[in-house]
Amino acid sequence: MDMQTSFLDRLFESGLLIDTGVDGLYGRSGQFEDVITAFERLIDTFGGADGAEAMRFPPGMNRALFEKSGYMKSFPQLAGTVHSFCGSDLDHMSLLQCMEVGDDWTKDQKATDIVLTPAACYPLYPTVAKRGNLPAKGGLFDLQSYCFRHEPSKDPARQQLFRMREYVCMGTEQHVTDFRQTWMDRGVEMMKHLGLDVTIDVANDPFFGRAGKMMVNNQRDQNLKFELLIPITSTANPTACMSFNYHQDSFGLKWGLNLEDGSVAHTACVGFGLERIALALFHHHGLDVKQWPASVRKTLWG
Ligand code: ATP
Ligand code: ZN
Ligand code: MG
């Protein structure tokens, strides 16, 4: 049995995560949720004074906007679509028959207008673009959503449905890169208060296929993505618990995000993997929250 399986098993045994029979799809106990709620409060204390506009979207997004985002070009392997039965009485009969004999009943399901949200910030860009030009001081948004990625794994830190808290900044290059640096510093400080060892490193997204290799190189060469890493299931390969992304003007151009003077907005987003941070805390300080160091408990619960 490898390390990953054993941490996952201990999480199941303690009840913190609830097995559903699907790798990466878990229920969470009240205690687990308490940690996430407390951590989100900590995020608020660090970011609250910045005056971000809060928005909450459901974990599904407009399929047409998802198509426009280009997600299927970059990450087709991770996407999840919502399909439904749209047939007649007769189709229903054959559907039930199909299920009865154990055939594939899903093949006649039709795509709906909804796809599963791959990252909390995806529904934001078209929403803001629709409002017209951003004010000269730019825009700052506070998001949280369950996100779906088709990456089943026995690593409890790699789930298929997980929550991402994000801040998204839109403005000039200087403005959004300053924003990103501010949150890198804050992220390190927050984790220090939580007694977690972190490193920050340049990173890349898992762009698909041969064409994706070029995008990986470009992203790394230009330092477009950084991650804050914390050891969870491996010390050799610590887990990304936060990421800091600078999109240059690519989203601004794609969605038509402009500043007051008509220039194309640059954008950056900072994401917290909420389950991963909770798991890092449980891994580092133990599965019993009452046994956590007093300083950590004070940071989270006052
Ligand atoms: P990784 O390299 O581990 O796959 P990522 O680069 O895909 O992570 P992002 O796309 O930057 O991650 O997502 C923002 C944050 O969401 C990450 O920093 C991480 O904390 C969290 N996250 C990403 N994928 C998962 C997942 N499958 N399960 C749980 N949390 C995740
Ligand atoms: Zn984002
Ligand atoms: Mg990933």
Side-chain angles (χ1 to χ4, degrees), residues 70-91:
Y71 196 81
M72 293 308 284
K73 276 194 199 134
S74 297
F75 314 112
Q77 77 281 19
L78 299 175
T81 53
V82 177
H83 284 63
S84 280
F85 171 76
C86 303
S88 63
D89 267 340
L90 204 67
D91 298 324

Side-chain angles (χ1 to χ4, degrees), residues 55-69 71 114-131 141-149 164 166 168 170 251 255 257 269:
M55 286 188 215
R56 293 293 180 267
F57 291 94
M61 67 175 285
N62 182 327
R63 174 158 65 97
L65 297 175
F66 169 85
E67 287 164 3
K68 182 169 169 180
S69 79
Y71 196 81
I114 296 173
V115 299
L116 297 175
T117 305
C121 63
Y122 270 66
L124 178 72
Y125 307 103
T127 302
V128 173
K130 237 176 25 193
R131 292 176 171 178
F141 305 92
D142 162 352
L143 305 164
Q144 197 252 52
S145 176
Y146 260 101
C147 298
F148 175 85
R149 293 185 185 178
M164 208 185 279
E166 278 198 61
V168 180
M170 304 176 180
F251 287 6
W255 295 109
L257 295 163
C269 69

Side-chain angles (χ1 to χ4, degrees), residues 149 151 156-160 162-164 204-206 225 227 239-243 245 271-276:
R149 293 185 185 178
E151 46 186 2
R158 187 167 300 286
Q159 305 190 0
Q160 299 199 63
F162 59 94
R163 272 160 294 177
M164 208 185 279
N204 64 269
D205 289 310
K225 183 182 180 87
E227 288 176 340
T239 302
C241 293
M242 288 184 72
S243 59
N245 305 285
F272 295 84
L274 296 177
E275 282 76 11
R276 285 186 177 181

Side-chain angles (χ1 to χ4, degrees), residues 3-299:
M3 281 286 291
Q4 294 180 357
T5 315
S6 73
F7 185 45
L8 182 59
D9 284 343
R10 290 200 296 130
L11 290 161
F12 286 159
E13 278 160 24
S14 64
L16 286 164
L17 290 187
I18 303 159
D19 192 1
T20 67
V22 176
D23 289 342
L25 182 72
Y26 309 120
R28 293 96 164 100
S29 72
Q31 180 63 265
F32 192 92
E33 289 304 286
D34 247 20
V35 170
I36 287 191
T37 305
F39 182 76
E40 284 208 85
R41 264 198 314 266
L42 184 64
I43 298 175
D44 294 336
T45 61
F46 274 78
D50 299 347
E53 177 181 346
M55 286 188 215
R56 293 293 180 267
F57 291 94
M61 67 175 285
N62 182 327
R63 174 158 65 97
L65 297 175
F66 169 85
E67 287 164 3
K68 182 169 169 180
S69 79
Y71 196 81
M72 293 308 284
K73 276 194 199 134
S74 297
F75 314 112
Q77 77 281 19
L78 299 175
T81 53
V82 177
H83 284 63
S84 280
F85 171 76
C86 303
S88 63
D89 267 340
L90 204 67
D91 298 324
H92 185 214
M93 298 240 292
S94 62
L95 169 82
L96 294 181
Q97 222 145 41
C98 205
M99 292 182 87
E100 185 79 30
V101 299
D103 278 351
D104 180 12
W105 63 274
T106 63
K107 63 184 187 303
D108 292 324
Q109 299 276 102
K110 293 272 186 295
T112 66
D113 289 335
I114 296 173
V115 299
L116 297 175
T117 305
C121 63
Y122 270 66
L124 178 72
Y125 307 103
T127 302
V128 173
K130 237 176 25 193
R131 292 176 171 178
N133 284 1
L134 285 153
K137 68 175 182 17
L140 182 64
F141 305 92
D142 162 352
L143 305 164
Q144 197 252 52
S145 176
Y146 260 101
C147 298
F148 175 85
R149 293 185 185 178
H150 186 236
E151 46 186 2
S153 169
K154 295 278 185 206
D155 178 352
R158 187 167 300 286
Q159 305 190 0
Q160 299 199 63
L161 276 159
F162 59 94
R163 272 160 294 177
M164 208 185 279
R165 175 79 182 268
E166 278 198 61
Y167 284 104
V168 180
C169 183
M170 304 176 180
T172 61
E173 168 165 13
Q174 187 67 48
H175 177 191
V176 309
T177 53
D178 285 351
F179 153 86
R180 185 171 72 152
Q181 186 59 51
T182 298
W183 275 108
M184 283 204 254
D185 298 341
R186 285 174 177 172
V188 170
E189 195 184 338
M190 289 169 84
M191 301 310 167
K192 202 164 85 191
H193 283 298
L194 295 175
L196 297 170
D197 288 331
V198 310
T199 51
I200 289 203
D201 204 357
V202 59
N204 64 269
D205 289 310
F207 293 103
F208 186 79
R210 224 178 319 153
K213 288 223 173 66
M214 251 170 53
M215 305 185 69
V216 166
N217 292 337
N218 178 59
Q219 194 178 32
R220 295 189 80 94
D221 292 347
Q222 299 200 58
N223 287 346
L224 298 183
K225 183 182 180 87
F226 287 94
E227 288 176 340
L228 180 151
L229 305 154
I230 308 177
I232 302 182
T233 36
S234 150
T235 26
N237 294 302
T239 302
C241 293
M242 288 184 72
S243 59
F244 312 88
N245 305 285
Y246 172 39
H247 316 121
Q248 299 169 304
D249 60 0
S250 61
F251 287 6
L253 285 167
K254 178 182 298 289
W255 295 109
L257 295 163
N258 297 304
L259 301 177
E260 216 165 62
D261 64 3
S263 63
V264 178
H266 285 234
T267 62
C269 69
V270 167
F272 295 84
L274 296 177
E275 282 76 11
R276 285 186 177 181
I277 289 159
L279 290 169
L281 286 163
F282 284 113
H283 187 260
H284 204 79
H285 300 309
L287 299 187
D288 182 359
V289 169
K290 292 193 292 294
Q291 305 292 319
W292 288 6
S295 62
V296 173
R297 293 175 52 85
K298 184 149 181 287
T299 300

